Amino acid sequence: MSSHDHAHPEYVQHHFHTAAEQRAASKFGMWAFIAQEILFFAGLFMAYAAFRFFYPETFVAAHEHLSWKMGGVNTIVLITSSLTMALAVRAAQTGNQKQLSIQLLLTIVFACCFLVVKYFEYSAKVHHCLLPGDYYGLPLKDDAGNFKLDAIGNRIFSDHCDIPKSGQMDAKSAGIFFGVYFIMTGMHGLHVLVGIGLLAWIWLRARKGHFHPKYFSPVEYVGLYWHLVDLIWIFLFPLLYLVK
Amino acid sequence: MSGSYGNEGEQSYLSRKGFLTWALTLDHKRIGLMYLGAVLFFFLIGGIMALLVRTELLTAEGDLFSGDNYNKIYTLHGAIMVFVFIIPSVPAALGNFLLPLMLGAKDVAFPRLNLASWYIYLLGSAFLIFSVLAGSIDTGWTFYTPYSIGPSDNGNAIIAATLGVFILGFSSILTGVNFISTIHKMRAPGMKWMDMPLMIWALYATSVIQVLATPVLAITLLLLVFERLLGFGIFNPALGGDPVLYQHFFWFYSHPAVYIMILPGFGIVSELLTVHSRKRIFGYKAIAFSSVAIAVIGFLVWGHHMFVSGQSELSSTIFSGITFAVAIPTAIKVFGWVATLYKGSIRFTTPMLYGLYFIFTFTIGGLTGLPLATLASDVHLHDTYYVVAHFHYVMMGGLVIAFIGGLHHWWPKMTGRMYNIKLAAFASVLVFIGFNLTFFSQFFLGSQGMPRRYHAYDRVSESLQGTYKFWHQMSTSGSYILAIGLFITLGYLLASLRKGGTRSPHNPWGGVSMEWLTATPPIEHNFEGQPVCTHGPYEFPEIDKSAQDKH
Amino acid sequence: MATPHSTGSYGADHGADPHGAGHHDDGHPHEHISPLSMYFGVFGALMVLTVMTVWVSTLGLGAVSIYVAMFVAIIKAYMVCAYFMHLKWDSPFNRLIFISSIVFMAIFFIITATDIGFRGQINPETDSMVLRQEENATAAEAARKAAFEAKTVTLARAPGSVPTGVDTPPVAVPAPAAPATAAAPATAAAPAAPGAAPDAPAAAAPAPAN
Amino acid sequence: MNFTTILGDVWMPTSASTVADDTDAVFYFIHYLSAIFLVAIVAATIYFALKYKKRSDNDKTSPIEHNSKLEFWWSFLPGLLLVVMFIWGFDIWLKLQVPPANAMNVRVTARQWTWQFDYPKDGITAGELVVPVNTPVKLTMSASDVLHSFYVPEFRVKKDVLPNRYSVAWFEATEPGEYNVFCTEYCGKNHSRMITRVQVKSAADFEAWRETGGVPPGTSPAEAGKIFYKSFGCNQCHSSDGTANTGPTFLGLYGSSHGLTDGTTVVVDDNYIRESIEIPGAKVVAGFQPRMPSFKGKIKDKQMVAIIEFLKTLSK
């Protein structure tokens, strides 16, 4: 495509001069992308902090209904997947194709485990009607779509919603807590889902032998992304599941 | 800079024809041109909305539109101008075209990402347009809760618009990531940080803000959508949420966004004033670093939009104090520009005229920020036309004037054509007069207490109503003059593209930064071979080097 | 900047990479490869810290536990960033951009906290919770009035003062006759929030009074 | 010092509160200073532009790049002025935040798109703010739907009014008269109609107003009704001249018949008016939103009769 006086391997795009220049630019770009991811989650952490401050009692009471065991298992799963990812990158660096493929597969398996546990966790919340905002306790509605209210103006929860009905949590702030919970873990879960897609793509490319010690940037960047997913969970876990 | 990079081997980047050569192009220049077309289109639409707003306010009664329709029109004006015109105008349109050229690079670091940003921008714009069809939003461009999440006839429109802005945000983020990487890693051999044109410094500071602030807007708007769809309650006071928290979230992006809008303007003006006065910029380092300083301090001052909002007194005090700090780097820039003219050889070309207008209008915009940063006077001026006038002096008088100046400066480079110079000078005078008449009147309106976003003012007591009417009429007449000036500008720019339009000389202004080294219009891969940077961007031949030695 | 430069090497940030990155020889990046033992060591430490976080949460440390949990989380995050993400051996600019994202996040948190944590310092009734709690207490009209005048209760965020349902009226402290006297203890009680300090400039204002 | 007398009233409206002159002082200080800077910058620009206009192709330009001393001073000195502005503005603003201990309490409720002022001690509810001159007045405000903002330009006082939170503003009026109260936080369709008045009365007049709940002695019922029509804020939604607004116009209303949202028709008589005031949502006229708050218990029987009398005069 271009005529340079020095070697220009096919994996170097035409507008870069050398593989080193391409790698430096793309890695820098990846870090800039990670920076924006962090600020994206910053908004969610801010929402968490604000409402934890406004409604400390509800936050403590509501977190009791999250399963710290499931959260803990997921933490271990994610950290392990981070390890296998790091090993995959190392395998790419050293040109160990077999290890690269195995470690990437392991990472994908752990990522799927994470989502499976998440699925059970979410279904438990749905079962107890621990849902965000207007859906907390699945309040009854009249024909016109307005919420039915009891004598003192409170929403009437569906019969099977044992925890909301027990009234141990203030309905409004509990709705906010579960809103925060679902959007934080949901956004994180979405990142896991995207990560699985990226890992699968990288795995396919690795099997075709696209990567070698001179060119493994895509593996490394997917790795950086995956560690970021782990990083965010490291904070989500104690904030949502543990703090009393 | 060494070597000759004439139009020998490769052809102009415009020469390949066909829809797909544009739709699938990875060439930053073509992507820049496509952005340019889009932002000018949206500028036109937003401008028409502005004229409708001004026309309604000619009379005190709300006789032209119903209150609902007026609210939709001004919201559309704001949202279009901010999200799809100003923010992408210089970075994505001019910046895309110029950044690699000015750095002596073949392209931006990630050309495919660049094309993706363009399509994401189109998708976001499509959502905005869809929101208009779905009934149009009437929330103001700020989407303040709880109004934006309350019962509304246009719920779908609000969701479409917020999703649109959410998507546009990613376009902006990806452009920012691309630019930062390009500036860091792809400068021509020999080009050190202090050899970069100031336009690049400005784009660099802009990109940093785009990357670090926009994601917060994204999550905010996502929460807003969930708020509407699921009743999350985070921003809804009726459900225990906090509307002031929404304002923090919103302004954490939207105040730095003001600097996304104005910083590139600073960059352009630095180029215009030096090239057309044939002199080095005064205080290169000060101007370069003040761009970065403004970008950073810009993150610390968002709460000055909220002095009367119910935020804590401590917050207001902190925000007011830091806000004043922005004035210092800004003043350094203005003084530097004025000093650049000293002992130059000034050509009154159209770009230079816009550069000089900028000094005037932006200085007014900056200075009128002071009473707004001051706590006591802001209480009186907040949410009045004084604020409207202030930010139009900064946005329109700052960025748009610089953008039009930059367009005139680089138009020959981009298209290879020269516009009608006399008509251009005439139109620029109309723009200048019209602009000042429109917006200076609004300072009086505002300090007299006229609130913004009012569709009618017939309920105002007699004594003030007369005053308001007078200044509104002045403002509206100014806006028509401004519109005529802008239409003439659009006319002669388009006319220059017709077959047989005047061809521009290779380097009409005698610029010495790298974009003038390549052919006009540039060849497909920007440069023949690799250019090497051998001197700073403002080393004009007219500079009296002998005097320097004595210096 | 007036003097001509022509160093002739590509890219910027030269010398940023401590290993030289081979810009000048074959144009290929030379990467730091960590030993396997490091990866497993870090992994082990992360596991231990995870168990520790869970264990600490069972101790019932109260308000302190969040600080402990965050401290441990920060250590874990550092290990992931530095070792798994190789930031320790990466170019300083890459480190800078990562750190700046943390810094701007901190700016967002801290400055927003100066609002949320310090509302109602001058006029106690403007604290975010006051009207909410009043409205939550509509069922008991008499108690409602007491709550309005006795802002001390609502501001102190005492457990139980947060609405748990309208059947339980907020704890009614005997309402002082003049609201001005209620304001003084309220100011003292207001910064009961974690990390709040009463010596804010706003609080230095003359004693609030209505 | 009263700056308005020097400048006429081009910039600021009449000053009618104790803080207004202070605010104006800092405002004018900044403005004069800005004017000096602006004139200096523009003069230098024009002077340089003309003096160093291109003369010939052989022009030589100065190689000057920077001047550290100059750059330091032109950053440092304006910096000092900024500190002055900040401290001055902060000082006055702090006064605005702290209501005096002896302030009279008024409870303000904002809703789309009316203002309601309650005087808790006197049991008065009004749509216009009536205050005595030279007396500090503390407003404790909240909104019932979206954000609003209370603003009186002549007092230089503004504060957002929030749902589910109180906000506080205070002022001490110095000039008797009638001033605008604006809503300055965008609140929807009729945002620009959410304007009422603040009436500053002499101490004696205010006492009289308070004694009679707003009606001078010896007023006929219809005239009193007209006063209540304004003071309860009915006029903010119901016009008396036939113009369309949030609610049906009162012109020709009494005795007419209206289609309701549920499809039935009703003749507007005393009972319907009374019901509409006390339970507004019960029978809503077709084409209107059920926006009206209930005035049950706030409008007393005699006042109700007066309002009905006033309505009758509009249908003659």
Side-chain angles (χ1 to χ4, degrees), chain B residues 480-506:
Chain B
Y480 291 145
I481 299 176
L482 177 58
I484 293 169
L486 289 173
F487 271 114
I488 296 175
T489 308
L490 186 67
Y492 66 71
L493 284 180
L494 290 180
S496 77
L497 296 178
R498 73 187 189 280
K499 258 195 184 149
T502 321
R503 295 210 166 268
S504 158
H506 164 64

PDB file of all heavy atoms in Angstrom, chain B residues 480-506:
ATOM      1  N   TYR B 480     -31.562  39.191  12.796  1.00  0.00           N
ATOM      2  CA  TYR B 480     -31.814  39.127  11.354  1.00  0.00           C
ATOM      3  C   TYR B 480     -30.570  39.548  10.576  1.00  0.00           C
ATOM      4  O   TYR B 480     -30.221  38.950   9.562  1.00  0.00           O
ATOM      5  CB  TYR B 480     -32.997  40.010  10.968  1.00  0.00           C
ATOM      6  CG  TYR B 480     -34.320  39.486  11.486  1.00  0.00           C
ATOM      7  CD1 TYR B 480     -35.324  40.339  11.900  1.00  0.00           C
ATOM      8  CD2 TYR B 480     -34.552  38.121  11.568  1.00  0.00           C
ATOM      9  CE1 TYR B 480     -36.520  39.861  12.380  1.00  0.00           C
ATOM     10  CE2 TYR B 480     -35.744  37.626  12.051  1.00  0.00           C
ATOM     11  CZ  TYR B 480     -36.729  38.506  12.460  1.00  0.00           C
ATOM     12  OH  TYR B 480     -37.909  38.022  12.940  1.00  0.00           O
ATOM     13  N   ILE B 481     -29.896  40.600  11.068  1.00  0.00           N
ATOM     14  CA  ILE B 481     -28.673  41.046  10.377  1.00  0.00           C
ATOM     15  C   ILE B 481     -27.646  39.914  10.398  1.00  0.00           C
ATOM     16  O   ILE B 481     -27.013  39.598   9.389  1.00  0.00           O
ATOM     17  CB  ILE B 481     -28.105  42.306  11.063  1.00  0.00           C
ATOM     18  CG1 ILE B 481     -29.124  43.441  10.992  1.00  0.00           C
ATOM     19  CG2 ILE B 481     -26.786  42.717  10.417  1.00  0.00           C
ATOM     20  CD1 ILE B 481     -28.705  44.698  11.716  1.00  0.00           C
ATOM     21  N   LEU B 482     -27.516  39.294  11.574  1.00  0.00           N
ATOM     22  CA  LEU B 482     -26.581  38.175  11.712  1.00  0.00           C
ATOM     23  C   LEU B 482     -26.922  37.067  10.724  1.00  0.00           C
ATOM     24  O   LEU B 482     -26.046  36.521  10.037  1.00  0.00           O
ATOM     25  CB  LEU B 482     -26.653  37.654  13.147  1.00  0.00           C
ATOM     26  CG  LEU B 482     -25.823  36.438  13.527  1.00  0.00           C
ATOM     27  CD1 LEU B 482     -24.353  36.683  13.273  1.00  0.00           C
ATOM     28  CD2 LEU B 482     -26.035  36.085  14.987  1.00  0.00           C
ATOM     29  N   ALA B 483     -28.224  36.780  10.625  1.00  0.00           N
ATOM     30  CA  ALA B 483     -28.638  35.697   9.727  1.00  0.00           C
ATOM     31  C   ALA B 483     -28.306  36.036   8.285  1.00  0.00           C
ATOM     32  O   ALA B 483     -27.806  35.185   7.538  1.00  0.00           O
ATOM     33  CB  ALA B 483     -30.142  35.445   9.878  1.00  0.00           C
ATOM     34  N   ILE B 484     -28.536  37.289   7.892  1.00  0.00           N
ATOM     35  CA  ILE B 484     -28.213  37.684   6.517  1.00  0.00           C
ATOM     36  C   ILE B 484     -26.726  37.498   6.261  1.00  0.00           C
ATOM     37  O   ILE B 484     -26.307  36.930   5.245  1.00  0.00           O
ATOM     38  CB  ILE B 484     -28.643  39.146   6.265  1.00  0.00           C
ATOM     39  CG1 ILE B 484     -30.169  39.253   6.313  1.00  0.00           C
ATOM     40  CG2 ILE B 484     -28.126  39.634   4.912  1.00  0.00           C
ATOM     41  CD1 ILE B 484     -30.674  40.673   6.343  1.00  0.00           C
ATOM     42  N   GLY B 485     -25.907  37.956   7.214  1.00  0.00           N
ATOM     43  CA  GLY B 485     -24.457  37.806   7.069  1.00  0.00           C
ATOM     44  C   GLY B 485     -24.057  36.345   6.892  1.00  0.00           C
ATOM     45  O   GLY B 485     -23.253  36.002   6.022  1.00  0.00           O
ATOM     46  N   LEU B 486     -24.672  35.464   7.709  1.00  0.00           N
ATOM     47  CA  LEU B 486     -24.302  34.052   7.633  1.00  0.00           C
ATOM     48  C   LEU B 486     -24.779  33.423   6.333  1.00  0.00           C
ATOM     49  O   LEU B 486     -24.094  32.585   5.750  1.00  0.00           O
ATOM     50  CB  LEU B 486     -24.870  33.297   8.839  1.00  0.00           C
ATOM     51  CG  LEU B 486     -24.196  33.625  10.172  1.00  0.00           C
ATOM     52  CD1 LEU B 486     -24.924  32.972  11.330  1.00  0.00           C
ATOM     53  CD2 LEU B 486     -22.736  33.181  10.166  1.00  0.00           C
ATOM     54  N   PHE B 487     -25.950  33.841   5.859  1.00  0.00           N
ATOM     55  CA  PHE B 487     -26.440  33.286   4.593  1.00  0.00           C
ATOM     56  C   PHE B 487     -25.546  33.704   3.436  1.00  0.00           C
ATOM     57  O   PHE B 487     -25.253  32.907   2.541  1.00  0.00           O
ATOM     58  CB  PHE B 487     -27.891  33.701   4.347  1.00  0.00           C
ATOM     59  CG  PHE B 487     -28.866  32.735   4.956  1.00  0.00           C
ATOM     60  CD1 PHE B 487     -29.687  33.110   6.010  1.00  0.00           C
ATOM     61  CD2 PHE B 487     -28.951  31.436   4.477  1.00  0.00           C
ATOM     62  CE1 PHE B 487     -30.554  32.211   6.589  1.00  0.00           C
ATOM     63  CE2 PHE B 487     -29.825  30.530   5.044  1.00  0.00           C
ATOM     64  CZ  PHE B 487     -30.636  30.916   6.103  1.00  0.00           C
ATOM     65  N   ILE B 488     -25.100  34.970   3.450  1.00  0.00           N
ATOM     66  CA  ILE B 488     -24.180  35.406   2.394  1.00  0.00           C
ATOM     67  C   ILE B 488     -22.920  34.551   2.444  1.00  0.00           C
ATOM     68  O   ILE B 488     -22.417  34.083   1.412  1.00  0.00           O
ATOM     69  CB  ILE B 488     -23.840  36.907   2.559  1.00  0.00           C
ATOM     70  CG1 ILE B 488     -25.089  37.752   2.368  1.00  0.00           C
ATOM     71  CG2 ILE B 488     -22.757  37.325   1.569  1.00  0.00           C
ATOM     72  CD1 ILE B 488     -24.877  39.221   2.638  1.00  0.00           C
ATOM     73  N   THR B 489     -22.414  34.322   3.677  1.00  0.00           N
ATOM     74  CA  THR B 489     -21.208  33.513   3.835  1.00  0.00           C
ATOM     75  C   THR B 489     -21.394  32.132   3.229  1.00  0.00           C
ATOM     76  O   THR B 489     -20.568  31.668   2.439  1.00  0.00           O
ATOM     77  CB  THR B 489     -20.865  33.361   5.329  1.00  0.00           C
ATOM     78  OG1 THR B 489     -20.842  34.667   5.908  1.00  0.00           O
ATOM     79  CG2 THR B 489     -19.538  32.693   5.525  1.00  0.00           C
ATOM     80  N   LEU B 490     -22.517  31.503   3.581  1.00  0.00           N
ATOM     81  CA  LEU B 490     -22.783  30.169   3.046  1.00  0.00           C
ATOM     82  C   LEU B 490     -22.839  30.225   1.527  1.00  0.00           C
ATOM     83  O   LEU B 490     -22.282  29.369   0.833  1.00  0.00           O
ATOM     84  CB  LEU B 490     -24.111  29.657   3.611  1.00  0.00           C
ATOM     85  CG  LEU B 490     -24.461  28.218   3.258  1.00  0.00           C
ATOM     86  CD1 LEU B 490     -23.479  27.273   3.923  1.00  0.00           C
ATOM     87  CD2 LEU B 490     -25.882  27.891   3.687  1.00  0.00           C
ATOM     88  N   GLY B 491     -23.473  31.292   1.018  1.00  0.00           N
ATOM     89  CA  GLY B 491     -23.638  31.443  -0.429  1.00  0.00           C
ATOM     90  C   GLY B 491     -22.300  31.498  -1.149  1.00  0.00           C
ATOM     91  O   GLY B 491     -22.047  30.721  -2.076  1.00  0.00           O
ATOM     92  N   TYR B 492     -21.395  32.389  -0.713  1.00  0.00           N
ATOM     93  CA  TYR B 492     -20.145  32.501  -1.488  1.00  0.00           C
ATOM     94  C   TYR B 492     -19.214  31.322  -1.261  1.00  0.00           C
ATOM     95  O   TYR B 492     -18.430  30.981  -2.137  1.00  0.00           O
ATOM     96  CB  TYR B 492     -19.454  33.855  -1.272  1.00  0.00           C
ATOM     97  CG  TYR B 492     -18.921  34.135   0.119  1.00  0.00           C
ATOM     98  CD1 TYR B 492     -17.812  33.473   0.627  1.00  0.00           C
ATOM     99  CD2 TYR B 492     -19.505  35.111   0.908  1.00  0.00           C
ATOM    100  CE1 TYR B 492     -17.321  33.739   1.889  1.00  0.00           C
ATOM    101  CE2 TYR B 492     -19.028  35.393   2.175  1.00  0.00           C
ATOM    102  CZ  TYR B 492     -17.938  34.700   2.661  1.00  0.00           C
ATOM    103  OH  TYR B 492     -17.467  34.957   3.902  1.00  0.00           O
ATOM    104  N   LEU B 493     -19.334  30.679  -0.091  1.00  0.00           N
ATOM    105  CA  LEU B 493     -18.505  29.484   0.096  1.00  0.00           C
ATOM    106  C   LEU B 493     -18.958  28.379  -0.862  1.00  0.00           C
ATOM    107  O   LEU B 493     -18.140  27.742  -1.523  1.00  0.00           O
ATOM    108  CB  LEU B 493     -18.587  28.993   1.543  1.00  0.00           C
ATOM    109  CG  LEU B 493     -17.788  29.805   2.572  1.00  0.00           C
ATOM    110  CD1 LEU B 493     -17.941  29.213   3.961  1.00  0.00           C
ATOM    111  CD2 LEU B 493     -16.312  29.882   2.207  1.00  0.00           C
ATOM    112  N   LEU B 494     -20.272  28.191  -0.960  1.00  0.00           N
ATOM    113  CA  LEU B 494     -20.766  27.164  -1.873  1.00  0.00           C
ATOM    114  C   LEU B 494     -20.470  27.548  -3.317  1.00  0.00           C
ATOM    115  O   LEU B 494     -20.109  26.704  -4.139  1.00  0.00           O
ATOM    116  CB  LEU B 494     -22.271  26.951  -1.666  1.00  0.00           C
ATOM    117  CG  LEU B 494     -22.658  26.275  -0.338  1.00  0.00           C
ATOM    118  CD1 LEU B 494     -24.162  26.115  -0.229  1.00  0.00           C
ATOM    119  CD2 LEU B 494     -21.978  24.909  -0.205  1.00  0.00           C
ATOM    120  N   ALA B 495     -20.611  28.855  -3.611  1.00  0.00           N
ATOM    121  CA  ALA B 495     -20.378  29.310  -4.985  1.00  0.00           C
ATOM    122  C   ALA B 495     -18.943  29.026  -5.405  1.00  0.00           C
ATOM    123  O   ALA B 495     -18.673  28.734  -6.576  1.00  0.00           O
ATOM    124  CB  ALA B 495     -20.697  30.791  -5.104  1.00  0.00           C
ATOM    125  N   SER B 496     -18.019  29.102  -4.476  1.00  0.00           N
ATOM    126  CA  SER B 496     -16.613  28.882  -4.833  1.00  0.00           C
ATOM    127  C   SER B 496     -16.375  27.439  -5.282  1.00  0.00           C
ATOM    128  O   SER B 496     -15.371  27.141  -5.922  1.00  0.00           O
ATOM    129  CB  SER B 496     -15.706  29.214  -3.655  1.00  0.00           C
ATOM    130  OG  SER B 496     -15.739  28.178  -2.699  1.00  0.00           O
ATOM    131  N   LEU B 497     -17.321  26.539  -4.949  1.00  0.00           N
ATOM    132  CA  LEU B 497     -17.129  25.131  -5.299  1.00  0.00           C
ATOM    133  C   LEU B 497     -17.626  24.820  -6.709  1.00  0.00           C
ATOM    134  O   LEU B 497     -17.356  23.754  -7.241  1.00  0.00           O
ATOM    135  CB  LEU B 497     -17.883  24.234  -4.307  1.00  0.00           C
ATOM    136  CG  LEU B 497     -17.398  24.286  -2.861  1.00  0.00           C
ATOM    137  CD1 LEU B 497     -18.257  23.394  -1.983  1.00  0.00           C
ATOM    138  CD2 LEU B 497     -15.939  23.852  -2.765  1.00  0.00           C
ATOM    139  N   ARG B 498     -18.383  25.773  -7.294  1.00  0.00           N
ATOM    140  CA  ARG B 498     -18.977  25.474  -8.608  1.00  0.00           C
ATOM    141  C   ARG B 498     -17.866  25.274  -9.639  1.00  0.00           C
ATOM    142  O   ARG B 498     -16.714  25.673  -9.427  1.00  0.00           O
ATOM    143  CB  ARG B 498     -19.901  26.611  -9.045  1.00  0.00           C
ATOM    144  CG  ARG B 498     -19.129  27.852  -9.466  1.00  0.00           C
ATOM    145  CD  ARG B 498     -20.024  29.024  -9.732  1.00  0.00           C
ATOM    146  NE  ARG B 498     -19.231  30.110 -10.330  1.00  0.00           N
ATOM    147  CZ  ARG B 498     -18.457  30.936  -9.656  1.00  0.00           C
ATOM    148  NH1 ARG B 498     -18.342  30.817  -8.345  1.00  0.00           N
ATOM    149  NH2 ARG B 498     -17.770  31.873 -10.269  1.00  0.00           N
ATOM    150  N   LYS B 499     -18.236  24.673 -10.751  1.00  0.00           N
ATOM    151  CA  LYS B 499     -17.260  24.508 -11.831  1.00  0.00           C
ATOM    152  C   LYS B 499     -16.808  25.884 -12.261  1.00  0.00           C
ATOM    153  O   LYS B 499     -17.604  26.779 -12.483  1.00  0.00           O
ATOM    154  CB  LYS B 499     -17.920  23.777 -13.009  1.00  0.00           C
ATOM    155  CG  LYS B 499     -17.527  22.319 -13.066  1.00  0.00           C
ATOM    156  CD  LYS B 499     -17.861  21.684 -14.385  1.00  0.00           C
ATOM    157  CE  LYS B 499     -17.528  20.203 -14.292  1.00  0.00           C
ATOM    158  NZ  LYS B 499     -18.383  19.383 -15.097  1.00  0.00           N
ATOM    159  N   GLY B 500     -15.540  26.055 -12.375  1.00  0.00           N
ATOM    160  CA  GLY B 500     -15.041  27.349 -12.805  1.00  0.00           C
ATOM    161  C   GLY B 500     -14.866  28.336 -11.662  1.00  0.00           C
ATOM    162  O   GLY B 500     -14.596  29.516 -11.885  1.00  0.00           O
ATOM    163  N   GLY B 501     -15.035  27.864 -10.427  1.00  0.00           N
ATOM    164  CA  GLY B 501     -14.754  28.734  -9.290  1.00  0.00           C
ATOM    165  C   GLY B 501     -13.257  29.043  -9.241  1.00  0.00           C
ATOM    166  O   GLY B 501     -12.435  28.298  -9.785  1.00  0.00           O
ATOM    167  N   THR B 502     -12.907  30.135  -8.595  1.00  0.00           N
ATOM    168  CA  THR B 502     -11.502  30.544  -8.568  1.00  0.00           C
ATOM    169  C   THR B 502     -10.655  29.490  -7.872  1.00  0.00           C
ATOM    170  O   THR B 502     -10.975  29.062  -6.767  1.00  0.00           O
ATOM    171  CB  THR B 502     -11.354  31.864  -7.778  1.00  0.00           C
ATOM    172  OG1 THR B 502     -12.473  32.683  -8.098  1.00  0.00           O
ATOM    173  CG2 THR B 502     -10.053  32.551  -8.110  1.00  0.00           C
ATOM    174  N   ARG B 503      -9.550  29.099  -8.521  1.00  0.00           N
ATOM    175  CA  ARG B 503      -8.640  28.177  -7.865  1.00  0.00           C
ATOM    176  C   ARG B 503      -7.765  28.955  -6.890  1.00  0.00           C
ATOM    177  O   ARG B 503      -7.352  30.067  -7.171  1.00  0.00           O
ATOM    178  CB  ARG B 503      -7.750  27.478  -8.885  1.00  0.00           C
ATOM    179  CG  ARG B 503      -8.529  26.593  -9.807  1.00  0.00           C
ATOM    180  CD  ARG B 503      -7.743  25.387 -10.309  1.00  0.00           C
ATOM    181  NE  ARG B 503      -8.697  24.457 -10.914  1.00  0.00           N
ATOM    182  CZ  ARG B 503      -9.287  23.476 -10.252  1.00  0.00           C
ATOM    183  NH1 ARG B 503      -8.989  23.264  -8.990  1.00  0.00           N
ATOM    184  NH2 ARG B 503     -10.154  22.696 -10.841  1.00  0.00           N
ATOM    185  N   SER B 504      -7.505  28.311  -5.792  1.00  0.00           N
ATOM    186  CA  SER B 504      -6.669  28.989  -4.800  1.00  0.00           C
ATOM    187  C   SER B 504      -5.208  28.729  -5.111  1.00  0.00           C
ATOM    188  O   SER B 504      -4.859  27.658  -5.597  1.00  0.00           O
ATOM    189  CB  SER B 504      -7.003  28.438  -3.421  1.00  0.00           C
ATOM    190  OG  SER B 504      -5.926  28.666  -2.553  1.00  0.00           O
ATOM    191  N   PRO B 505      -4.352  29.723  -4.858  1.00  0.00           N
ATOM    192  CA  PRO B 505      -2.925  29.431  -4.933  1.00  0.00           C
ATOM    193  C   PRO B 505      -2.564  28.381  -3.891  1.00  0.00           C
ATOM    194  O   PRO B 505      -3.333  28.112  -2.966  1.00  0.00           O
ATOM    195  CB  PRO B 505      -2.251  30.767  -4.629  1.00  0.00           C
ATOM    196  CG  PRO B 505      -3.312  31.645  -4.084  1.00  0.00           C
ATOM    197  CD  PRO B 505      -4.638  31.086  -4.476  1.00  0.00           C
ATOM    198  N   HIS B 506      -1.392  27.791  -4.031  1.00  0.00           N
ATOM    199  CA  HIS B 506      -1.008  26.691  -3.156  1.00  0.00           C
ATOM    200  C   HIS B 506      -1.028  27.094  -1.682  1.00  0.00           C
ATOM    201  O   HIS B 506      -1.549  26.381  -0.836  1.00  0.00           O
ATOM    202  CB  HIS B 506       0.378  26.190  -3.540  1.00  0.00           C
ATOM    203  CG  HIS B 506       0.998  25.341  -2.476  1.00  0.00           C
ATOM    204  ND1 HIS B 506       0.451  24.133  -2.092  1.00  0.00           N
ATOM    205  CD2 HIS B 506       2.085  25.536  -1.689  1.00  0.00           C
ATOM    206  CE1 HIS B 506       1.184  23.617  -1.132  1.00  0.00           C
ATOM    207  NE2 HIS B 506       2.177  24.436  -0.860  1.00  0.00           N
TER     208      HIS B 506
END
